Amino acid sequence: MSTTGLDRRSRRRQQTIDEILDVSVALMETEGVAALSLSAVARQLGMRPPSLYQYFPSKLAIYDALFQRGSAQIRDAQREARARAPQDQELERGMVAFSRWCMDNQVLTQLLFWRTVPGFTPSPEAFAPAEDMVNDLRSYLQQAVDKGRLHQDATSDEGIALFTSLTAGVLSQQMANEPQATYETGRYMKLMPTVLDMFYLHYRPTRGKEK
């Protein structure tokens, strides 16, 4: 989170919050996403657990903040990639940006897309960037419909569910089988263009018109 415009006290508080979140991610990388411990976070920061409660009242509050941070980052990565994409390649570039971010941030990816923490449900505020992503996707699918590249059904709830299931499924296979690979080298990542072709074929403009 940017500290621009905050007074000194607020900047220090935000810096401490960011540090707590960074340490939490590092611990989750080694101990597992669901194994986060407030005492371990405090120990890493040289802080007593009661002091940590001034920033986060519970472990679930840390997960919530991380969910919001991660979903905002992946939303912004896709928006930037689509904004720079050549015409009619926005969906492809957004999918690549999504995949790259997830491979580079596998701990947060598990928190965002897998139910790895029992009892955790993101707050509406934390979930808002994820809703933005769905709205962004629907908007770009609609643009493809308007240009005659897709059938209108592609923008339906079913179409959104299919698109996200296909892309997230490939990503899950990649992370489960070759977590150390990069977007360029992962054998499952190489299937992403094929997955998009399958989506376009399923929602071809002539869908439902063939005899």
Side-chain angles (χ1 to χ4, degrees):
M1 178 177 177
S2 174
T3 58
T4 303
L6 299 178
D7 58 36
R8 180 177 298 180
R9 183 175 180 180
S10 297
R11 282 199 301 271
R12 286 179 178 174
R13 178 176 176 79
Q14 186 59 53
Q15 288 167 357
T16 301
I17 288 173
D18 290 340
E19 190 174 1
I20 290 170
L21 297 180
D22 290 341
V23 167
S24 297
V25 170
L27 288 171
M28 289 158 64
E29 286 177 346
T30 57
E31 303 298 329
V33 175
L36 183 65
S37 162
L38 288 182
S39 60
V41 173
R43 188 163 53 249
Q44 285 285 99
L45 291 167
M47 179 187 295
R48 293 182 179 275
S51 298
L52 188 62
Y53 295 142
Q54 297 178 24
Y55 301 93
F56 293 100
S58 68
K59 182 167 63 174
L60 291 181
I62 292 181
Y63 284 129
D64 198 62
L66 287 173
F67 190 101
Q68 184 172 9
R69 172 196 268 193
S71 57
Q73 288 179 355
I74 195 169
R75 175 200 62 195
D76 294 346
Q78 290 181 89
R79 284 179 171 177
E80 181 180 355
R82 287 169 177 153
R84 293 186 286 104
Q87 190 174 20
D88 295 335
Q89 292 186 26
E90 292 89 353
L91 284 173
E92 292 87 337
R93 295 299 175 88
M95 185 178 66
V96 171
F98 167 84
S99 302
R100 286 185 186 279
W101 187 94
C102 289
M103 290 301 295
D104 291 341
N105 299 273
Q106 295 189 32
V107 166
L108 291 180
T109 298
Q110 292 178 47
L111 181 64
L112 289 172
F113 303 115
W114 302 349
R115 290 187 175 273
T116 49
V117 182
F120 170 66
T121 300
S123 66
E125 183 180 10
F127 197 70
E131 293 180 324
D132 290 341
M133 283 190 281
V134 172
N135 292 332
D136 288 350
L137 174 59
R138 197 184 302 274
S139 175
Y140 279 102
L141 288 173
Q142 184 61 56
Q143 289 183 31
V145 170
D146 294 342
K147 294 177 181 179
R149 300 179 67 204
L150 287 171
H151 189 276
Q152 184 64 51
D153 289 352
T155 67
S156 66
D157 290 344
E158 177 193 86
I160 297 294
L162 180 59
F163 188 96
T164 55
S165 295
L166 288 171
T167 53
V170 171
L171 177 67
S172 294
Q173 283 288 86
Q174 182 62 59
M175 290 176 57
N177 292 280
E178 295 178 342
Q180 303 305 320
T182 64
Y183 175 83
E184 288 78 13
T185 63
R187 61 191 175 103
Y188 292 96
M189 287 291 94
K190 294 176 182 178
L191 298 175
M192 280 297 190
T194 302
V195 162
L196 191 58
D197 287 342
M198 291 168 61
F199 182 84
Y200 271 104
L201 179 62
H202 185 69
Y203 288 111
R204 57 197 176 278
T206 57
R207 185 178 195 240
K209 297 179 182 179
E210 297 93 338
K211 294 182 180 179

